[in-house]
Amino acid sequence: MVILFSGDTGFYSGCGKLYETLKGRSDSSVRIYPGISSVSYFAALTGYSYQDAAVLSIHGHGAETEWIGNLTETIRFSAKTFLLMSGKEDVQKLGRLLQKYHLQNCKVLAGFQLSYPQEKVLTLTPEACEHVEENGLYICLILNPNVEKKAVTCGMRDEEFLRDKVPMTKEEIRALSICKLHLKEDSVCYDIGSGTGSVAVEIAKRSGKIRVFAIEKKPLALELIDKNREKSALSNLQVIAGTAPDCLQTEERSENPTHAFIGGSSGRLKEILDVLYKKNHAMRIVINCISLETISELTLLETDSRITNLEIIQVQVSRAKTIGDYHLMQGENPIYICSFDFTGEVS
């Protein structure tokens, strides 16, 4: 029996699921015979090698939220990105994304109906991608002349954020707190009481595969989070307007949070932890607190049977200020950083 699939067998193809279903059967054997990959075909057609290129697919890859962060990050840090896609709608969508996320200087080579009589290669700007109207199959090569080098450590400067009069987690505390989260490249993180969004932005910049939700109730702060998200061109950061934990209870998502940073709880820390525990019995949480009222709540965590690996540290940062010929150290407010895991057990 021969079953024929269109497209590349190794990129979100139906042949992968069929192979997994059939390969363990005792009454048959199965083998995949691939055709010429559209990536290798297009590379040969355009003269660009793919040995040092990123290769991604949005064809058959599910909802946009599942791939948009990884795609925009890959293009930003790669000189060449081969992108498998479906019809003209995907080319148009690519053009919009490149413009929205500050990648408008990229050049797009679009391969149309490769190996068919209608075959052609289009050279497009991101704006021109939006006006592609010919129906058919496409593959794109995105060339980025302004490729960036990815930072491998935390440490965005406070000056990089728009702040106004909204409280912000300062640079050194932010770096320590994010380190204590023990994030993975595909984590789903809540930033509760996000303020300016500085923590959410810096987490989102660690990996395009991380999903970050900034939760904030104050209108001015919500505006600033949006502006800081736009400034850093982050497609994997979403803003949720509301008061925690109320907005968390009504927020229905396909994926549960794996991590949470709590920068502000408005006196409802226990309620917030209860809701987070319902969402995921095994998640990592970091809490920053400055007020005596919140600090007193931290001592109660030791008696919570759901919590393990509890650690509380106190940090105070002093900055040198020049006064005349002297440099004097001026202390910031002391901050308590509390980190722990839920045990993973249902209590």
Side-chain angles (χ1 to χ4, degrees):
M1 180 183 292
V2 175
I3 300 175
L4 206 58
F5 284 94
S6 65
D8 289 0
T9 58
F11 279 96
Y12 306 100
S13 169
C15 91
K17 290 183 179 179
L18 182 61
Y19 179 78
E20 290 299 317
T21 302
L22 297 177
K23 70 176 183 179
R25 294 177 63 96
S26 59
D27 59 351
S28 62
S29 62
V30 59
R31 181 173 175 182
I32 298 173
Y33 290 88
I36 298 174
S37 165
S38 59
V39 174
S40 62
Y41 188 105
F42 195 43
L45 188 63
T46 58
Y48 287 94
S49 66
Y50 55 92
Q51 62 195 16
D52 55 349
V55 182
L56 296 176
S57 174
I58 61 174
H59 171 68
H61 195 358
E64 183 175 303
T65 53
E66 296 180 25
W67 51 258
I68 184 173
N70 188 41
L71 173 61
T72 53
E73 180 185 61
T74 299
I75 295 171
R76 179 166 286 109
F77 298 110
S78 302
K80 296 182 289 186
T81 303
F82 285 91
L83 183 63
L84 281 73
M85 46 181 53
S86 299
K88 65 179 183 180
E89 294 80 11
D90 282 353
V91 181
Q92 295 167 358
K93 185 182 297 182
L94 173 64
R96 290 192 293 270
L97 291 177
L98 293 175
Q99 293 176 83
K100 181 177 181 180
Y101 295 110
H102 304 175
L103 294 164
Q104 59 268 26
N105 290 329
C106 290
K107 181 169 74 171
V108 178
L109 303 181
F112 174 73
Q113 293 292 97
L114 299 185
S115 79
Y116 289 90
Q118 310 97 306
E119 172 185 287
K120 58 184 171 182
V121 177
L122 307 173
T123 301
L124 305 168
T125 62
E127 183 180 5
C129 286
E130 290 193 83
H131 304 290
V132 169
E133 291 296 340
E134 200 165 1
N135 288 312
L137 295 174
Y138 289 85
I139 179 175
C140 284
L141 169 59
I142 302 107
L143 302 173
N144 183 1
N146 306 123
V147 62
E148 301 174 28
K149 289 187 177 181
K150 189 173 183 180
V152 294
T153 61
C154 299
M156 292 180 66
R157 300 188 310 278
D158 289 341
E159 293 75 20
E160 294 182 58
F161 297 97
L162 302 173
R163 182 181 177 186
D164 207 314
K165 297 180 180 180
V166 174
M168 181 176 74
T169 303
K170 297 294 182 62
E171 180 178 337
E172 293 81 8
I173 304 301
R174 187 168 62 246
L176 274 174
S177 300
I178 293 174
C179 287
K180 291 291 184 182
L181 275 169
H182 301 166
L183 293 161
K184 310 297 183 185
E185 67 174 357
D186 58 351
S187 296
V188 178
C189 186
Y190 284 1
D191 176 14
I192 298 172
S194 190
T196 60
S198 65
V199 172
V201 166
E202 187 152 356
I203 290 174
K205 289 188 76 169
R206 294 305 94 207
S207 169
K209 294 181 181 179
I210 289 179
R211 301 282 308 285
V212 185
F213 298 92
I215 296 134
E216 178 55 56
K217 63 180 180 180
K218 297 177 181 177
L220 176 58
L222 288 166
E223 282 183 38
L224 285 172
I225 298 170
D226 262 330
K227 289 178 180 177
N228 283 317
R229 175 182 60 178
E230 172 62 25
K231 186 181 179 190
S232 293
L234 295 170
S235 56
N236 56 334
L237 170 57
Q238 182 175 334
V239 183
I240 299 174
T243 302
D246 303 329
C247 64
L248 302 181
Q249 292 173 319
T250 58
E251 199 69 28
E252 293 295 331
R253 305 201 169 277
S254 58
E255 74 278 84
N256 286 323
T258 59
H259 297 73
F261 172 78
I262 303 175
S265 61
S266 299
R268 303 180 69 182
L269 180 60
K270 184 181 183 305
E271 297 172 65
I272 291 171
L273 293 179
D274 289 343
V275 172
L276 292 176
Y277 185 75
K278 289 178 183 177
K279 287 182 172 289
N280 186 354
H281 298 319
M283 67 183 298
R284 177 77 174 169
I285 295 176
V286 170
I287 305 169
N288 278 8
C289 62
I290 186 172
S291 72
L292 295 177
E293 289 74 17
T294 309
I295 292 168
S296 67
E297 290 186 87
L298 298 184
T299 60
L300 302 177
L301 297 178
E302 290 186 324
T303 62
D304 193 326
S305 60
R306 302 170 300 181
I307 287 174
T308 186
N309 301 325
L310 176 65
E311 178 186 58
I312 302 175
I313 64 173
Q314 186 264 319
V315 181
Q316 182 167 12
V317 176
S318 297
R319 295 179 180 275
K321 301 289 184 180
T322 303
I323 300 178
D325 296 330
Y326 297 94
H327 292 78
L328 302 180
M329 301 304 294
Q330 295 189 358
E332 304 281 354
N333 289 321
I335 304 290
Y336 286 79
I337 301 175
C338 174
S339 58
F340 58 86
D341 301 293
F342 283 143
T343 60
E345 301 174 0
V346 180
S347 61

mmCIF file of all heavy atoms in Angstrom, residues 157-174:
data_model
loop_
_atom_site.group_PDB
_atom_site.id
_atom_site.type_symbol
_atom_site.label_atom_id
_atom_site.label_comp_id
_atom_site.label_asym_id
_atom_site.label_seq_id
_atom_site.Cartn_x
_atom_site.Cartn_y
_atom_site.Cartn_z
ATOM 1 N N ARG A 157 18.881 47.491 31.403
ATOM 2 C CA ARG A 157 19.031 48.696 32.208
ATOM 3 C C ARG A 157 17.665 49.325 32.483
ATOM 4 O O ARG A 157 16.763 49.271 31.642
ATOM 5 C CB ARG A 157 19.934 49.712 31.506
ATOM 6 C CG ARG A 157 21.342 49.212 31.237
ATOM 7 C CD ARG A 157 22.230 50.345 30.722
ATOM 8 N NE ARG A 157 21.605 51.063 29.619
ATOM 9 C CZ ARG A 157 21.628 50.664 28.359
ATOM 10 N NH1 ARG A 157 22.231 49.540 28.015
ATOM 11 N NH2 ARG A 157 21.045 51.381 27.414
ATOM 12 N N ASP A 158 17.537 49.954 33.644
ATOM 13 C CA ASP A 158 16.272 50.607 33.997
ATOM 14 C C ASP A 158 15.900 51.684 32.979
ATOM 15 O O ASP A 158 14.716 51.926 32.716
ATOM 16 C CB ASP A 158 16.375 51.240 35.391
ATOM 17 C CG ASP A 158 16.411 50.187 36.497
ATOM 18 O OD1 ASP A 158 16.008 49.040 36.235
ATOM 19 O OD2 ASP A 158 16.846 50.517 37.615
ATOM 20 N N GLU A 159 16.911 52.310 32.393
ATOM 21 C CA GLU A 159 16.658 53.389 31.425
ATOM 22 C C GLU A 159 16.005 52.893 30.137
ATOM 23 O O GLU A 159 15.494 53.693 29.344
ATOM 24 C CB GLU A 159 17.976 54.102 31.077
ATOM 25 C CG GLU A 159 18.608 54.880 32.218
ATOM 26 C CD GLU A 159 19.283 53.979 33.254
ATOM 27 O OE1 GLU A 159 19.589 52.810 32.913
ATOM 28 O OE2 GLU A 159 19.478 54.427 34.393
ATOM 29 N N GLU A 160 16.010 51.591 29.919
ATOM 30 C CA GLU A 160 15.409 51.037 28.702
ATOM 31 C C GLU A 160 13.890 50.983 28.778
ATOM 32 O O GLU A 160 13.220 50.729 27.780
ATOM 33 C CB GLU A 160 15.959 49.628 28.445
ATOM 34 C CG GLU A 160 17.441 49.592 28.122
ATOM 35 C CD GLU A 160 17.923 48.186 27.839
ATOM 36 O OE1 GLU A 160 17.379 47.539 26.918
ATOM 37 O OE2 GLU A 160 18.838 47.707 28.541
ATOM 38 N N PHE A 161 13.325 51.219 29.980
ATOM 39 C CA PHE A 161 11.883 51.109 30.161
ATOM 40 C C PHE A 161 11.238 52.476 30.324
ATOM 41 O O PHE A 161 11.793 53.375 30.975
ATOM 42 C CB PHE A 161 11.555 50.270 31.404
ATOM 43 C CG PHE A 161 12.025 48.844 31.321
ATOM 44 C CD1 PHE A 161 13.223 48.469 31.899
ATOM 45 C CD2 PHE A 161 11.286 47.892 30.641
ATOM 46 C CE1 PHE A 161 13.677 47.167 31.821
ATOM 47 C CE2 PHE A 161 11.725 46.590 30.560
ATOM 48 C CZ PHE A 161 12.914 46.218 31.144
ATOM 49 N N LEU A 162 10.056 52.623 29.733
ATOM 50 C CA LEU A 162 9.223 53.787 30.004
ATOM 51 C C LEU A 162 8.567 53.558 31.361
ATOM 52 O O LEU A 162 8.025 52.492 31.628
ATOM 53 C CB LEU A 162 8.163 53.935 28.913
ATOM 54 C CG LEU A 162 8.712 54.078 27.484
ATOM 55 C CD1 LEU A 162 7.573 54.043 26.481
ATOM 56 C CD2 LEU A 162 9.507 55.358 27.352
ATOM 57 N N ARG A 163 8.599 54.584 32.220
ATOM 58 C CA ARG A 163 8.171 54.341 33.599
ATOM 59 C C ARG A 163 7.078 55.284 34.080
ATOM 60 O O ARG A 163 6.167 54.892 34.795
ATOM 61 C CB ARG A 163 9.381 54.434 34.533
ATOM 62 C CG ARG A 163 9.017 54.138 35.970
ATOM 63 C CD ARG A 163 10.203 54.246 36.887
ATOM 64 N NE ARG A 163 9.810 54.034 38.262
ATOM 65 C CZ ARG A 163 10.618 54.183 39.298
ATOM 66 N NH1 ARG A 163 11.866 54.548 39.117
ATOM 67 N NH2 ARG A 163 10.183 53.979 40.526
ATOM 68 N N ASP A 164 7.177 56.568 33.773
ATOM 69 C CA ASP A 164 6.263 57.580 34.305
ATOM 70 C C ASP A 164 6.329 57.547 35.834
ATOM 71 O O ASP A 164 7.414 57.537 36.406
ATOM 72 C CB ASP A 164 4.839 57.340 33.796
ATOM 73 C CG ASP A 164 4.024 58.621 33.753
ATOM 74 O OD1 ASP A 164 4.076 59.371 34.744
ATOM 75 O OD2 ASP A 164 3.344 58.895 32.761
ATOM 76 N N LYS A 165 5.167 57.453 36.513
ATOM 77 C CA LYS A 165 5.150 57.428 37.980
ATOM 78 C C LYS A 165 4.749 56.055 38.520
ATOM 79 O O LYS A 165 4.344 55.929 39.681
ATOM 80 C CB LYS A 165 4.190 58.504 38.507
ATOM 81 C CG LYS A 165 4.609 59.926 38.153
ATOM 82 C CD LYS A 165 3.619 60.945 38.697
ATOM 83 C CE LYS A 165 4.045 62.365 38.329
ATOM 84 N NZ LYS A 165 3.086 63.375 38.842
ATOM 85 N N VAL A 166 4.849 55.045 37.686
ATOM 86 C CA VAL A 166 4.453 53.699 38.083
ATOM 87 C C VAL A 166 5.635 52.983 38.726
ATOM 88 O O VAL A 166 6.755 53.051 38.212
ATOM 89 C CB VAL A 166 3.950 52.903 36.851
ATOM 90 C CG1 VAL A 166 3.662 51.453 37.220
ATOM 91 C CG2 VAL A 166 2.700 53.571 36.293
ATOM 92 N N PRO A 167 5.424 52.293 39.865
ATOM 93 C CA PRO A 167 6.519 51.555 40.508
ATOM 94 C C PRO A 167 7.126 50.520 39.569
ATOM 95 O O PRO A 167 6.423 49.907 38.762
ATOM 96 C CB PRO A 167 5.838 50.875 41.699
ATOM 97 C CG PRO A 167 4.613 51.698 41.963
ATOM 98 C CD PRO A 167 4.170 52.195 40.621
ATOM 99 N N MET A 168 8.451 50.337 39.681
ATOM 100 C CA MET A 168 9.142 49.400 38.803
ATOM 101 C C MET A 168 10.147 48.580 39.606
ATOM 102 O O MET A 168 10.845 49.108 40.467
ATOM 103 C CB MET A 168 9.868 50.145 37.684
ATOM 104 C CG MET A 168 10.599 49.238 36.699
ATOM 105 S SD MET A 168 11.364 50.155 35.328
ATOM 106 C CE MET A 168 12.745 50.915 36.155
ATOM 107 N N THR A 169 10.215 47.291 39.318
ATOM 108 C CA THR A 169 11.249 46.445 39.913
ATOM 109 C C THR A 169 12.589 46.846 39.319
ATOM 110 O O THR A 169 12.788 46.777 38.109
ATOM 111 C CB THR A 169 10.969 44.957 39.616
ATOM 112 O OG1 THR A 169 9.670 44.617 40.112
ATOM 113 C CG2 THR A 169 12.008 44.064 40.276
ATOM 114 N N LYS A 170 13.513 47.269 40.176
ATOM 115 C CA LYS A 170 14.782 47.817 39.698
ATOM 116 C C LYS A 170 15.702 46.725 39.129
ATOM 117 O O LYS A 170 15.530 45.536 39.391
ATOM 118 C CB LYS A 170 15.490 48.550 40.832
ATOM 119 C CG LYS A 170 14.707 49.762 41.362
ATOM 120 C CD LYS A 170 14.607 50.850 40.310
ATOM 121 C CE LYS A 170 13.882 52.083 40.828
ATOM 122 N NZ LYS A 170 14.544 52.730 41.955
ATOM 123 N N GLU A 171 16.672 47.181 38.372
ATOM 124 C CA GLU A 171 17.518 46.311 37.558
ATOM 125 C C GLU A 171 18.134 45.139 38.316
ATOM 126 O O GLU A 171 18.015 43.985 37.907
ATOM 127 C CB GLU A 171 18.631 47.172 36.938
ATOM 128 C CG GLU A 171 19.612 46.431 36.064
ATOM 129 C CD GLU A 171 20.640 47.379 35.469
ATOM 130 O OE1 GLU A 171 20.353 48.591 35.367
ATOM 131 O OE2 GLU A 171 21.736 46.909 35.113
ATOM 132 N N GLU A 172 18.795 45.401 39.438
ATOM 133 C CA GLU A 172 19.485 44.331 40.156
ATOM 134 C C GLU A 172 18.497 43.352 40.779
ATOM 135 O O GLU A 172 18.712 42.133 40.752
ATOM 136 C CB GLU A 172 20.384 44.926 41.254
ATOM 137 C CG GLU A 172 21.550 45.741 40.725
ATOM 138 C CD GLU A 172 21.175 47.153 40.328
ATOM 139 O OE1 GLU A 172 20.021 47.567 40.603
ATOM 140 O OE2 GLU A 172 22.023 47.847 39.735
ATOM 141 N N ILE A 173 17.404 43.867 41.334
ATOM 142 C CA ILE A 173 16.382 43.006 41.937
ATOM 143 C C ILE A 173 15.678 42.191 40.860
ATOM 144 O O ILE A 173 15.372 41.012 41.040
ATOM 145 C CB ILE A 173 15.356 43.850 42.718
ATOM 146 C CG1 ILE A 173 16.061 44.698 43.772
ATOM 147 C CG2 ILE A 173 14.304 42.952 43.350
ATOM 148 C CD1 ILE A 173 16.858 43.917 44.780
ATOM 149 N N ARG A 174 15.456 42.826 39.719
ATOM 150 C CA ARG A 174 14.808 42.143 38.594
ATOM 151 C C ARG A 174 15.662 40.970 38.121
ATOM 152 O O ARG A 174 15.152 39.867 37.887
ATOM 153 C CB ARG A 174 14.593 43.145 37.461
ATOM 154 C CG ARG A 174 13.772 42.617 36.303
ATOM 155 C CD ARG A 174 13.368 43.746 35.377
ATOM 156 N NE ARG A 174 14.494 44.436 34.772
ATOM 157 C CZ ARG A 174 14.818 45.699 35.010
ATOM 158 N NH1 ARG A 174 14.124 46.427 35.858
ATOM 159 N NH2 ARG A 174 15.861 46.250 34.415
#
